[in-house]
């Protein structure tokens, strides 16, 4: 019998058996090889209500949201930036566990969180935008437009989600 979904199949742990090493502030931090589902809980919490924000933005713009609609929705939620930053910190606390206090001692900047989160989403293969996208968003009913990518793919490249090491990318000579 063959399985349509095989959760016992090769996982990212094979690629990163000791976790995902991240160099920051001269220290090495090890992130879990697989993204724990609970790590998304702070970002998707009812208190933060990012889904509600997204719904408000899309509703106010009839699905064609621009900067104005986003800014207007944010001003209606003045505590959102602080709550969002707290959710990011909570997510990193889940991911790093006992290493989290050492990570905070490096005093990460907002840009550090952005760069690290971007790189980790590539390695983990998770995009928050895909969590919120409707099922048919890659298809087109219009005769004048065409899809940017096929609705289905035959396979996933073997190196999917891989972020190459570039130890010099944060070094600066000037």
């Amino acid at each position: 019998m063959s399985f349509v979904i095989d959760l016992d199949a090769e996982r990212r742990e094979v690629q990163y058996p000791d976790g995902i090493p991240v160099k920051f502030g001269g220290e090495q931090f090890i992130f879990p090889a697989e993204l724990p589902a609970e790590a998304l809980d702070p970002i998707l919490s009812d208190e933060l209500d990012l889904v509600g924000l997204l719904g408000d933005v899309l509703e106010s713009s009839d699905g064609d949201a621009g900067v104005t609609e986003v800014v207007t929705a944010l001003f209606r939620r003045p505590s959102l930036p602080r709550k969002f930053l707290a959710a990011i910190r909570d997510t990193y606390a889940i991911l790093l566990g006992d290493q989290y206090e050492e990570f905070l001692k490096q005093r990460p900047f907002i840009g550090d969180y952005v760069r690290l989160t971007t790189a980790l989403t590539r390695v983990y293969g998770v995009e928050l935008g895909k969590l919120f996208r409707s099922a048919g968003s890659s298809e087109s009913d219009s005769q004048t437009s065409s899809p940017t990518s096929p609705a289905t793919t035959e396979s996933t490249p073997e190196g999917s989600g891989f972020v190459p090491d570039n130890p010099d990318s944060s070094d600066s000579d000037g």
Side-chain angles (χ1 to χ4, degrees), residues 97-117:
D98 294 340
Q99 303 172 90
Y100 182 63
E101 292 302 320
E102 279 302 309
F103 179 79
L104 285 182
K105 287 180 184 176
Q106 301 304 316
R107 301 192 60 193
F109 295 110
I110 298 288
D112 296 326
Y113 281 113
V114 170
R115 285 187 296 278
L116 181 55
T117 300

Side-chain angles (χ1 to χ4, degrees), residues 25-138:
E27 301 289 326
Q28 177 175 292
F29 298 93
I30 304 296
F31 284 77
E34 290 286 337
L35 180 66
E38 70 178 308
L40 294 178
D41 288 346
I43 302 295
L44 299 176
S45 73
D46 290 339
E47 181 180 324
L48 190 58
D49 194 28
L50 286 181
V51 175
L53 172 70
L54 182 61
D56 288 352
V57 168
L58 292 175
E59 184 178 308
S60 73
S61 64
D62 293 326
D64 191 22
V67 173
T68 302
E69 289 81 11
V70 172
V71 170
T72 301
L74 284 173
F75 276 116
R76 280 183 258 171
R77 292 171 171 84
S79 64
L80 183 65
R82 185 176 303 275
K83 287 179 182 178
F84 184 72
L85 186 55
I88 294 295
R89 288 181 178 139
D90 290 346
T91 297
Y92 276 86
I94 292 167
L95 291 172
L96 288 168
D98 294 340
Q99 303 172 90
Y100 182 63
E101 292 302 320
E102 279 302 309
F103 179 79
L104 285 182
K105 287 180 184 176
Q106 301 304 316
R107 301 192 60 193
F109 295 110
I110 298 288
D112 296 326
Y113 281 113
V114 170
R115 285 187 296 278
L116 181 55
T117 300
T118 300
L120 286 172
T121 56
R122 281 190 216 122
V123 173
Y124 287 135
V126 173
E127 294 179 38
L128 286 178
K130 288 183 179 180
L131 294 175
F132 298 118
R133 185 179 68 199
S134 65
S137 66
S138 67

